[in-house]
Amino acid sequence: MRKLKNGFAFLGLIFLGVLLMNAVQQDKVMTAESTSTATSQTTKATVNDNNDYNVYALDLPETLNFAGEQVPLHLPDIKERMDRELLVNTYWQSNGLLLFKRANKYFPVIEPILKEYGIPDDFKYLAVIESGLQNVTSPAGARGFWQIMKATGRENGMEINSNVDERFHLEKATRVACKYLLASKKKFGNWTSAAAAYNAGNGGIGKRMDDQQVNSYYDLLLGQETGRYIFRVVALKEIFTNAKKYGFNFNEKHLYTHIPTYKVEVDTAVTNFASFAKEFGINYKILKIHNPWLRENKLNNKSRKKYMISIPEKGYYTK
């Protein structure tokens, strides 16, 4: 019996020890959790206090227009689509800055040609949307700043082959774009639909208007690309016009320079453009930069056609 009591006493001591150990462990856990919470709150406060980068919603302007034609911002879907393009193009900052830089270089070439054809100045932003003001080639085969297809180029008198591709000739491509836009304006009666047709084709926009029994771009249900097209153009126009309002800060020195050139007439074959370039104090690279429509290192010219090759004025590529 004494042994049994002693056994119970021993077990009681063990149980009491376990309780004490659990209590100590629980206190440690609570202390650790409290410390962790306090540290987390301090870290959050520090991050918030030191966070200089913030993303803000944009207030839509009360009115927006393309080529003098109002964007119907009172319509809910139009407002949302316009808001999307302003946000996307405002917060894609690196691309936006590059567009500002290139525009300073190439708008001086595009703007006077648009004016010559009676095309509103807003259409220069189509070239920005089409190519980012670069001589690019689309998966469908459209090329140059204005993304002209081979058939359209040839219909408008462009030479297009492996030796010469005038879709990469900025002045000639801008003139072809102007002719297309004037035909679209005549067909649809307004500049907004003409701009949309530049993306989807006159037939494409016309068919959708007939099928949906409407006559306004803003009333059409369109696919992603053409459905965003005018809104992207208007968004870029708004951002370019009010750069600082949308957070773009730069000086004139940050922009790319438009380099004036003079024309050299060539009516024979050129066997080597590297040697040709040296005659004018430049190298092959510079010659091709200013004449991207020359697609090879030679000019075949079996027909003795007259070509005008651009040569940069002296002083721009010398130290």
Side-chain angles (χ1 to χ4, degrees):
M1 192 71 175
R2 180 185 292 270
K3 290 181 179 179
L4 185 60
K5 286 182 179 180
N6 288 339
F8 280 124
F10 180 70
L11 289 174
L13 288 172
I14 292 174
F15 180 71
L16 181 61
V18 170
L19 287 176
L20 287 172
M21 288 176 67
N22 285 340
V24 171
Q25 185 67 25
Q26 184 67 23
D27 183 61
K28 288 181 178 180
V29 170
M30 292 180 66
T31 302
E33 289 179 347
S34 178
T35 302
S36 176
T37 301
T39 302
S40 176
Q41 290 175 345
T42 302
T43 302
K44 288 180 180 178
T46 302
V47 169
N48 290 336
D49 289 343
N50 295 322
N51 186 8
D52 293 329
Y53 181 77
N54 296 282
V55 178
Y56 298 96
L58 302 175
D59 292 326
L60 279 178
E62 291 185 6
T63 62
L64 288 169
N65 74 84
F66 173 72
E69 299 169 2
Q70 293 298 309
V71 180
L73 293 172
H74 63 282
L75 299 175
D77 69 303
I78 301 300
K79 182 178 180 180
E80 288 183 18
R81 290 157 72 185
M82 193 69 252
D83 181 60
R84 173 188 178 177
E85 299 308 327
L86 276 174
L87 282 169
V88 168
N89 288 283
T90 295
Y91 285 110
W92 192 5
Q93 298 97 328
S94 59
N95 185 68
L97 276 174
L98 283 170
L99 294 180
F100 277 108
K101 290 170 179 281
R102 293 178 193 140
N104 193 64
K105 183 177 182 179
Y106 295 113
F107 277 180
V109 178
I110 295 171
E111 289 168 343
I113 298 174
L114 293 177
K115 186 176 181 180
E116 177 187 339
Y117 279 81
I119 305 290
D121 191 66
D122 286 358
F123 276 87
K124 65 190 178 187
Y125 297 108
L126 263 69
V128 181
I129 292 300
E130 288 288 337
S131 64
L133 298 177
Q134 299 178 95
N135 274 313
V136 296
T137 300
S138 77
R143 294 187 175 185
F145 277 44
W146 289 95
Q147 287 293 276
I148 297 171
M149 295 295 290
K150 184 182 291 185
T152 303
R154 286 178 173 167
E155 287 170 6
N156 286 275
M158 284 184 153
E159 181 179 351
I160 300 173
N161 53 56
S162 60
N163 190 233
V164 169
D165 191 338
E166 292 182 329
R167 290 176 293 175
F168 293 111
H169 192 299
L170 181 53
E171 292 93 333
K172 291 186 177 184
T174 304
R175 292 180 185 280
V176 169
C178 286
K179 293 175 184 177
Y180 191 94
L181 291 167
L182 287 173
S184 299
K185 170 64 160 55
K186 184 177 181 180
K187 178 178 176 66
F188 297 110
N190 62 83
W191 290 117
T192 302
S193 296
Y198 194 84
N199 177 256
N202 288 331
I205 292 295
K207 185 178 187 305
R208 284 166 178 77
M209 285 183 172
D210 291 342
D211 290 345
Q212 298 178 33
Q213 301 178 27
V214 297
N215 57 17
S216 168
Y217 167 82
Y218 297 110
D219 290 330
L220 282 173
L221 179 63
L222 295 163
Q224 175 90 335
E225 184 178 340
T226 310
R228 293 179 62 186
Y229 195 75
I230 298 299
F231 297 94
R232 292 174 66 199
V233 172
V234 174
L236 278 179
K237 174 190 172 184
E238 168 66 12
I239 292 168
F240 267 65
T241 305
N242 304 284
K244 288 192 175 181
K245 172 184 174 182
Y246 293 96
F248 291 96
N249 299 281
F250 51 84
N251 297 318
E252 189 71 21
K253 67 180 181 180
H254 297 126
L255 304 177
Y256 300 154
T257 304
H258 170 62
I259 298 172
T261 61
Y262 63 94
K263 305 293 185 183
V264 172
E265 183 178 296
V266 174
D267 61 0
T268 62
V270 177
T271 56
N272 189 308
F273 273 127
S275 299
F276 178 89
K278 284 186 176 182
E279 294 177 17
F280 298 95
I282 58 175
N283 58 36
Y284 179 75
K285 178 190 73 174
I286 302 304
L287 179 75
K288 295 300 285 285
I289 285 174
H290 289 276
N291 300 275
W293 53 277
L294 297 170
R295 304 308 293 169
E296 297 180 313
N297 65 352
K298 61 183 180 179
L299 180 64
N300 295 329
N301 201 10
K302 293 180 181 179
S303 63
R304 301 297 295 269
K305 178 180 176 179
K306 290 184 179 179
Y307 293 93
M308 304 302 292
I309 296 179
S310 297
I311 304 296
E313 292 185 1
K314 293 181 178 181
Y316 284 92
Y317 290 102
T318 55
K319 294 181 180 180

